[in-house]
Amino acid sequence: YNWDEVEAFHWTDGVIWYVDWGFSEKETADPTASGRIAYKPSDSEYDYIIDELCYARGLAPDVLADKIWAAGYKSGQPCYCDHSPEGIRALRLKGIAAFPFSKGPGSIIAGVLFMRNKKVAYTSRSENIRTEVRKYKFLEIEGIVTNTPIDEFNHHMDGTRGACHTHHLVTGH
C-alpha cells in the first residue's frame, strides 16, 4: 500500500472503529491493534484517514472498550472486529456497536483490491501503523507481485482492511 501521513485526526462524525484481536500476553504473540477511521471526510482529499488507538498484547476487551470510549466513540458508530465472539460480546456489553469483519473465501484478496483503489492516510502519532505500512509486503511468484499479503506486520493493516471493506459491503460507502 502507498499511504500518506497526515498531522491529526479531528473528525467525530463519519467514523468507524476496528479491532484486530491478539490472543496472548506472550512477547511473541500477536498484539491487539485498534483504531478509528474517518471515512470519506468531506474536508479531505482522502477516502479514509486512520488513527491508531492501541497496539498491545494481553489487552482485555473491557479495557479496550474503555479506551474506545475515551478516544471519542459515539453510540452507534460501528466497530468492526476480527473474529472473536467473546471479544465482540464484551465490547457490546460496554455499549460498543461491535460487528465481525465480513470473512469468507476470497475476502482477504477482495479487501486488498478494495483498499488498493482508495486514497488512504494515517495520523503522524500512529507509530505502529507507520511501521506496518513500511513493512507490509505481498507474496511474489517468479518476480510478480500478487494480491496475497504476507501474514507479517499486518495487525493494523488487517484491521483497517477488514473494517473499511466490511463497512463498504454493509452500507455501500
Side-chain angles (χ1 to χ4, degrees):
Y1 294 142
N2 185 23
W3 293 1
D4 295 331
E5 188 171 306
V6 296
E7 195 56 37
F9 190 97
H10 63 269
W11 297 273
T12 58
D13 296 316
V15 174
I16 62 176
W17 302 75
Y18 68 89
V19 177
D20 183 59
W21 299 103
F23 292 102
S24 174
E25 294 179 14
K26 290 183 183 176
E27 221 170 281
T28 57
D30 288 346
T32 292
S34 181
R36 57 189 174 170
I37 303 167
Y39 66 92
K40 311 262 189 225
S42 60
D43 61 344
S44 170
E45 65 185 283
Y46 296 98
D47 295 305
Y48 299 104
I49 299 176
I50 304 157
D51 186 48
E52 179 176 323
L53 177 60
C54 76
Y55 187 88
R57 289 173 182 82
L59 189 65
D62 58 331
V63 173
L64 177 58
D66 292 343
K67 288 181 176 288
I68 291 170
W69 278 107
Y73 179 80
K74 289 184 174 182
S75 289
Q77 290 177 327
C79 180
Y80 298 102
C81 305
D82 194 8
H83 182 71
S84 169
E86 298 81 13
I88 291 169
R89 185 170 38 258
L91 291 179
R92 288 179 179 172
L93 288 171
K94 295 282 267 183
I96 305 290
F99 305 96
F101 291 155
S102 176
K103 285 195 166 189
S107 63
I108 292 175
I109 291 176
V112 165
L113 293 174
F114 176 79
M115 292 303 288
R116 278 190 172 166
N117 290 312
K118 301 299 177 190
K119 189 161 177 67
V120 181
Y122 58 91
T123 60
S124 58
R125 69 180 206 92
S126 301
E127 294 177 24
N128 294 293
I129 293 175
R130 180 183 309 109
T131 298
E132 287 187 14
V133 166
R134 291 179 181 152
K135 292 182 175 184
Y136 196 68
K137 302 284 186 227
F138 292 88
L139 180 66
E140 288 188 33
I141 299 174
E142 297 179 10
I144 299 171
V145 178
T146 69
N147 291 322
T148 303
I150 296 172
D151 192 18
E152 293 180 327
F153 313 111
N154 61 354
H155 311 295
H156 281 289
M157 304 300 280
D158 285 354
T160 57
R161 180 189 70 237
C164 293
H165 190 237
T166 300
H167 190 72
H168 171 73
L169 293 173
V170 170
T171 68
H173 293 105

